[in-house]
């Protein structure tokens, strides 16, 4: 842990030797302290593939002083080197559950991997009723069917590497950080960009004896001491990613915790590129994954799920309910934050549903939603409306009878 003053900003220049700190995540913890995450981009500001790690900054005194912890790091290349063949981490998101446990989810990539390089599939196969991570003695980017080994069950932090055809154990084992051992001894490779420095092989490195598949891995860690130390990673991709998806990555920033059926539900945003970046056109989809058991298992919400764009139709009786809720809002919330307090229509509906005083019927529509949030959105919306007019869906003049 490194302690330095950052003068009210989380990350100093050259933190951990990083040239650029990008893709921020910021979260206020239950005790009032703050945790900030960011990419450490060594010698560059580019995305993966490149030499990128993820660190957090911790403040207990209102942003004046910060402590620094490296959370996700690959050391196949030195921190002084900009290199597109490096393994990397990118795009973190943070949330704290009701138990106080802090979760960080990030994208992990093999050597030379990134959004555009992510191959279709999870890199796992079902063997003996469980999804197993596959390995190869070839290259990360080889076809998955050629991957002849897999990681077995962990016991005391170590798992056997087994032959995919026979199920027999090999001389290799792997620990929870995906470091490799041969006949029980750690095996090493040269660290690129350094003179005479060796680092332990990890299955994400190009120089490793055994390598995992070149795709995106959703890499989850947790902390039970407000970010000072972190658990071994858990790759949750096989729980939430389909075999026809290429890139499936984190929506960086922060997660959220909601109540569902009287219990907490932890949610993170994710997005994909619908099976590969070279489709014409590239079609990205946003979705959500959630956990109802404090991060043990994760479920994805299908991109095809029905969602609400808040187009409501009400009966007259809603007016009285809104009036009563609005008076309470003015009395209790507005005084504490008059510039930013908002009165949300869906919140009122949710309260009525909980009190069993309302019913809501969802009407499904196949139409595509579009709108203007920023001025840059205007051109796309104008084009979309013009296309609907040309198709005869809309009249030439929308507001004339």
């Amino acid at each position: 842990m490194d302690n330095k003053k950052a003068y009210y900003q989380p990350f100093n220049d050259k933190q951990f030797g990083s040239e650029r700190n990008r893709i921020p995540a910021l979260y206020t913890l239950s005790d009032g302290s703050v945790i900030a995450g960011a990419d450490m981009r060594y010698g560059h500001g580019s995305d993966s593939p490149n030499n990128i790690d993820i660190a957090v900054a911790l403040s207990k005194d209102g942003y004046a002083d910060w402590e620094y912890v490296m959370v996700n790091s690959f050391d196949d290349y030195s921190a002084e080197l900009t290199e597109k063949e490096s393994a990397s981490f990118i795009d973190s998101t943070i949330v704290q559950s009701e138990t106080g446990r802090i979760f960080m989810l990030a994208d992990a990539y093999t050597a030379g991997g990134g959004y555009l390089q992510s191959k279709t599939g999870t890199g796992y196969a079902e063997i003996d009723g469980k999804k197993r991570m596959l390995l190869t003695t070839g290259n990360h980017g080889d076809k998955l069917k050629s991957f002849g080994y897999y990681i077995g069950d962990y016991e005391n932090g170590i798992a056997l590497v087994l032959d995919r055809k026979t199920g027999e154990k090999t001389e290799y084992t792997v620990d929870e950080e995906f470091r490799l051992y041969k006949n029980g001894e750690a095996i090493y490779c040269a660290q690129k960009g350094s003179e005479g420095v060796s680092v332990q092989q990890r299955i994400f490195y190009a120089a490793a004896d055994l390598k995992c598949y070149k795709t995106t891995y959703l890499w989850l860690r947790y902390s039970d001491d407000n970010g000072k130390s972190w658990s071994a990673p858990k790759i949750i991709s096989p729980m939430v990613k389909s075999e026809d998806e290429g890139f499936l990555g984190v929506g960086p920033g922060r997660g959220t915790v909601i109540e569902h059926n009287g219990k907490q539900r932890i949610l993170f945003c994710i997005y994909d590129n619908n099976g590969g970046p070279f489709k014409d056109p590239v079609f990205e989809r946003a979705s959500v994954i959630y956990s109802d058991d404090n991060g043990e298992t994760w479920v994805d919400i299908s991109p095809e799920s029905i969602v609400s764009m808040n187009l409501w139709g009400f009966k007259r009786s809603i007016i009285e309910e809104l009036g009563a809720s609005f008076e309470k809002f003015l009395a209790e919330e507005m005084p504490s934050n008059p510039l930013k307090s908002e009165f949300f229509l869906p919140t009122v509906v949710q309260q009525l549903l909980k009190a069993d005083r309302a019913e809501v019927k969802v009407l499904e529509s196949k139409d595509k939603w579009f709108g203007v949030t920023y001025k840059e959105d205007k051109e796309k919306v104008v084009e979309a409306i013009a296309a609907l007019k040309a198709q005869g869906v809309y009249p030439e003049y929308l507001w004339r009878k």
Side-chain angles (χ1 to χ4, degrees), residues 5 14 18 21 39 61 93 118 127 146 168 194 214 257 325 337 348 364 376-377 381-382 385 393:
K5 194 157 186 175
K14 295 288 186 178
S18 170
N21 306 315
D39 292 355
D61 56 6
T93 182
S118 290
I127 301 172
S146 69
E168 297 293 323
S194 299
K214 182 180 283 188
V257 177
S325 296
N337 194 359
V348 177
E364 185 176 351
E376 292 81 4
D377 299 332
V381 174
V382 170
I385 293 176
V393 177

Side-chain angles (χ1 to χ4, degrees), residues 321-335:
E321 300 290 351
L322 290 174
S325 296
F326 191 59
E327 288 181 4
K328 184 178 180 181
F329 167 78
L330 293 175
E332 298 180 3
E333 296 189 35
M334 276 291 289

Side-chain angles (χ1 to χ4, degrees), residues 41-334:
R41 303 197 175 193
Y42 302 108
H44 65 94
S46 303
D47 292 343
S48 300
N50 228 310
N51 193 359
I52 308 172
D53 296 330
I54 294 176
V56 294
L58 311 170
S59 178
K60 297 180 179 179
D61 56 6
Y63 318 112
D65 293 280
W66 298 88
E67 301 174 273
Y68 297 95
V69 180
M70 181 63 74
V71 181
N72 292 315
S73 176
F74 286 135
D75 59 0
D76 50 339
Y77 284 80
S78 71
E80 290 75 33
L81 199 62
T82 301
E83 179 52 60
K84 291 187 176 296
E85 288 305 312
S86 174
S88 62
F89 296 98
I90 192 172
D91 291 355
S92 62
T93 182
I94 296 172
V95 74
Q96 186 177 37
S97 72
E98 292 176 350
T99 66
R101 176 167 287 181
I102 303 167
F103 293 92
M104 175 186 279
L105 186 66
D107 299 340
Y109 290 112
T110 67
Y115 175 97
L116 294 176
Q117 293 77 24
S118 290
K119 298 175 72 67
T120 301
T122 61
Y124 285 69
E126 188 163 323
I127 301 172
D128 297 331
K130 293 184 179 180
K131 291 185 177 180
R132 309 285 189 175
M133 192 176 197
L134 300 179
L135 302 174
T136 182
T137 55
N139 298 313
H140 292 292
D142 290 347
K143 292 183 178 180
L144 197 56
K145 64 181 181 181
S146 69
F147 280 53
Y149 304 91
Y150 67 91
I151 298 175
D153 294 327
Y154 280 92
E155 186 175 341
N156 298 321
I158 298 293
L160 297 173
V161 176
L162 305 168
D163 187 281
R164 190 176 177 182
K165 289 183 179 179
T166 66
E168 297 293 323
K169 67 179 183 180
T170 68
E171 65 267 57
Y172 291 96
T173 51
V174 62
D175 67 19
E176 292 178 306
E177 295 285 345
F178 301 100
R179 293 181 288 243
L180 279 169
Y181 303 80
K182 189 173 183 179
N183 296 319
E185 299 291 331
I187 52 177
Y188 295 84
C189 59
Q191 184 185 63
K192 301 293 180 64
S194 299
E195 189 70 33
V197 177
S198 294
V199 296
Q200 189 169 354
Q201 292 184 21
R202 297 171 84 172
I203 62 174
F204 287 78
Y205 296 174
D209 288 8
L210 293 168
K211 305 173 186 67
C212 57
Y213 186 56
K214 182 180 283 188
T215 192
T216 315
Y217 294 93
L218 293 176
W219 183 281
L220 183 73
R221 291 189 193 267
Y222 65 81
S223 172
D224 289 329
D225 57 6
N226 276 18
K228 293 182 179 180
S229 63
W230 293 81
S231 70
K234 175 190 286 188
I235 294 177
I236 65 171
S237 304
M239 301 182 195
V240 298
K241 184 181 181 183
S242 66
E243 294 297 336
D244 64 351
E245 289 177 307
F247 168 82
L248 178 70
V250 172
R254 53 178 291 160
T256 190
V257 177
I258 64 172
E259 181 183 320
H260 179 72
N261 293 333
K263 298 181 180 180
Q264 73 161 1
R265 170 169 285 184
I266 306 169
L267 300 102
F268 283 122
C269 292
I270 58 171
Y271 70 108
D272 70 12
N273 60 12
N274 197 27
F278 302 111
K279 289 191 173 184
D280 187 19
V282 176
F283 181 57
E284 291 184 345
R285 304 178 297 183
S287 187
V288 172
I289 59 173
Y290 66 86
S291 174
D292 289 335
D293 54 11
N294 205 37
E296 288 298 315
T297 60
W298 293 84
V299 179
D300 68 315
I301 296 176
S302 169
E304 308 304 324
S305 297
I306 297 174
V307 297
S308 169
M309 298 310 300
N310 292 337
L311 177 62
W312 296 90
F314 290 108
K315 294 182 178 180
R316 185 176 179 82
S317 57
I318 192 65
I319 302 301
E320 292 182 7
E321 300 290 351
L322 290 174
S325 296
F326 191 59
E327 288 181 4
K328 184 178 180 181
F329 167 78
L330 293 175
E332 298 180 3
E333 296 189 35
M334 276 291 289

